[in-house]
Amino acid sequence: MMLAYVTTPLLGLVDTAVIGQLGDAALIGGLAAGAIVFDVVFATFNFLRSGTTGLVAQAYGRGDRPEEQAVFWRAFVVALLLGCLLILCAPLIAEVGGRFIGGEEAVTAAMATYVLIRLLSAPFALTNYAILGYVLGRGEATLGLALQLVLNVTNIVFSVILGLWLGWGIAGVAWGTVIAEVTAALIGLTILVARFRKLPPLARGALANVQALGAMFALNRDIMIRSFVLLGAFALFARQGAQLGTLTLAANAVLMNFFLLSGYFLDGFATAAEQLAGRALGARHRPAFARAVKLTAWWGFCVAGLVTALFLLFGAGLVAVVTTAEDVRATAAIYLPWAAFTALSGVLAFQMDGVFIGATWSRDMRNMMLLSFAAYIVGLLALGSAFGNHGLWAALHLFLLARGLSLLSVLPRRSRQAFGT
């Protein structure tokens, strides 16, 4: 899954390169603005992936094959309904996104083109969340990798063909994403339907099980709140950086790519924690649960340490690749160590999120996120005013550490309640 997630920033890089070849700054700005809109929209519905993983993993641990299948079909129905709703709301989303970004007219027009086309893929994109959640819940990471590669490679190929070779520009990049989402969804559904046909049919009323639906919606609600708060934390970081000047804002934007890149690596261990912890809880086997927590933490910290070391050694070169502006490079170099160490301060938060999602302890995850966010706000105000941009980065580290440590403090109690010892 580390390999699968790392293809995601590659996709963004290729899309930017395709539009960059057209030599129009407004198109590049429109693509960036459209990406921000989709980060917000699709992060809202990420619960279709993570929530499905936790519920399927627990059913898998219990040996309950019918419930595994039922969890997927419930998520699939929700994905279709939400996806169709997003298509209907596409003009409104484009309008609100344009007003929020507040760019020039050409940028807003390019963003609207991208958003209106790409939202046509919403039912398929959300279906891919449900498919990936089911696959990962069963621990089939190789199939998950294959489906993500199909999605991202198809996206890259058609973005180049349509956007660059055929000269469709930003519309071509958007249509490339639509084609990729449809292709991956159809392939994934074909695989799962063929599998389900070999199993006994679901009992009548299994999909409409009130208790199961209630548990799913409660889990999804808490994960959605957690995702909104996380997006809010990053938005506040950018806003506070902007108050320190355009140069600081630009340097922070470049350095945040280091944190986001390390996050793709750490998400692999979070995904492993979701499946292993969920399966152990479903089987009511505490030794396996404890081992899953220890192993994902151990390997997570090892990879985080390696990523931090690489950023410290080669970070200046990576900054030079991202920007040619000498003043931005110089400012980014001052704060580079802060960005490099986000991998180590954030690894426990990623891993604990995985454990709690797999165990479907979403209420604790939501509450600890809100508590950590409150500490983050205090840190931003106090440290930011006292130490400037150094204080902002310190507050971000405080936020990451608070998330991981607060969930770790809750873990023993929740584990005793779940396993009865």
Side-chain angles (χ1 to χ4, degrees):
M1 289 317 300
M2 285 172 57
L3 294 174
Y5 288 133
V6 166
T7 62
T8 301
L10 176 62
L11 169 63
L13 180 63
V14 171
D15 282 353
T16 303
V18 167
I19 298 302
Q21 299 304 307
L22 303 177
D24 188 337
L27 293 181
I28 298 175
L31 177 65
I36 292 172
V37 171
F38 276 93
D39 283 345
V40 173
V41 171
F42 283 108
T44 303
F45 302 113
N46 188 51
F47 59 77
L48 284 168
R49 205 286 298 162
S50 50
T52 302
T53 297
L55 293 171
V56 169
Q58 291 189 26
Y60 184 57
R62 294 193 303 270
D64 190 348
R65 294 297 297 275
E67 181 60 17
E68 290 178 37
Q69 186 181 164
V71 168
F72 168 73
W73 287 120
R74 291 184 199 116
F76 174 70
V77 171
V78 173
L80 287 183
L81 293 175
L82 290 175
C84 291
L85 181 62
L86 284 174
I87 291 177
L88 292 175
C89 295
L92 177 61
I93 292 171
E95 176 69 21
V96 172
R99 291 181 181 276
F100 175 78
I101 297 299
E104 298 177 359
E105 184 177 348
V107 172
T108 302
M111 186 211 71
T113 299
Y114 181 78
V115 168
L116 292 173
I117 294 173
R118 189 174 167 186
L119 273 176
L120 295 174
S121 72
F124 300 95
L126 297 183
T127 294
N128 283 324
Y129 281 8
I131 293 171
L132 186 60
Y134 171 84
V135 167
L136 296 181
R138 287 184 49 79
E140 297 171 346
T142 302
L143 178 55
L145 168 61
L147 291 173
Q148 288 299 103
L149 287 177
V150 167
L151 174 64
N152 291 335
V153 171
T154 303
N155 198 339
I156 289 171
V157 169
F158 277 94
S159 291
V160 172
I161 292 174
L162 300 177
L164 193 59
W165 292 357
L166 297 183
W168 292 11
I170 197 166
V173 170
W175 279 115
T177 302
V178 173
I179 292 170
E181 295 285 5
V182 172
T183 301
L186 293 179
I187 291 174
L189 283 172
T190 300
I191 292 171
L192 295 193
V193 169
R195 175 184 297 182
F196 294 153
R197 282 179 176 173
K198 299 176 183 178
L199 301 175
L202 291 175
R204 184 181 299 275
L207 297 185
N209 183 302
V210 175
Q211 183 177 358
L213 285 170
M216 182 184 76
F217 283 114
L219 173 65
N220 292 344
R221 175 201 64 208
D222 293 337
I223 294 174
M224 185 169 66
I225 292 172
R226 169 250 185 202
S227 298
F228 270 132
V229 174
L230 191 59
L231 284 171
F234 295 145
L236 275 176
F237 181 84
R239 181 186 181 281
Q240 294 300 104
Q243 306 305 307
L244 298 174
T246 302
L247 186 58
T248 299
L249 174 63
N252 284 352
V254 169
L255 292 175
M256 277 299 287
N257 287 297
F258 287 58
F259 170 64
L260 296 175
L261 184 59
S262 65
Y264 288 114
F265 285 99
L266 299 178
D267 263 336
F269 292 100
T271 301
E274 289 174 25
Q275 198 277 331
L276 296 172
R279 182 164 65 170
L281 187 66
R284 293 295 183 266
H285 189 48
R286 185 167 189 170
F289 182 84
R291 183 164 174 77
V293 173
K294 291 177 182 177
L295 282 176
T296 53
W298 167 255
W299 284 105
F301 273 104
C302 287
V303 170
L306 177 61
V307 169
T308 296
L310 290 175
F311 283 163
L312 289 173
L313 289 172
F314 304 109
L318 291 174
V319 169
V321 170
V322 174
T323 177
T324 57
E326 290 298 334
D327 52 351
V328 176
R329 288 179 179 180
T331 303
I334 298 172
Y335 305 106
L336 176 60
W338 285 110
F341 277 99
T342 53
L344 278 173
S345 61
V347 60
L348 188 62
F350 280 88
Q351 186 250 353
M352 283 288 110
D353 270 356
V355 171
F356 276 70
I357 287 173
T360 61
W361 298 333
S362 59
R363 182 179 299 178
D364 294 303
M365 188 173 64
R366 178 200 66 194
N367 292 344
M368 294 305 103
M369 173 64 84
L370 292 171
L371 179 65
S372 301
F373 185 71
Y376 174 61
I377 295 296
V378 173
L380 276 179
L381 296 176
L383 298 174
S385 60
F387 303 104
N389 200 43
H390 287 290
L392 298 188
W393 280 99
L396 180 62
H397 281 271
L398 173 65
F399 176 59
L400 296 173
L401 290 169
R403 284 178 56 205
L405 293 174
S406 61
L407 288 174
L408 183 62
S409 69
V410 174
L411 183 62
R413 175 176 58 82
R414 296 297 281 133
S415 182
R416 286 192 300 270
Q417 291 173 349
F419 294 100
T421 55

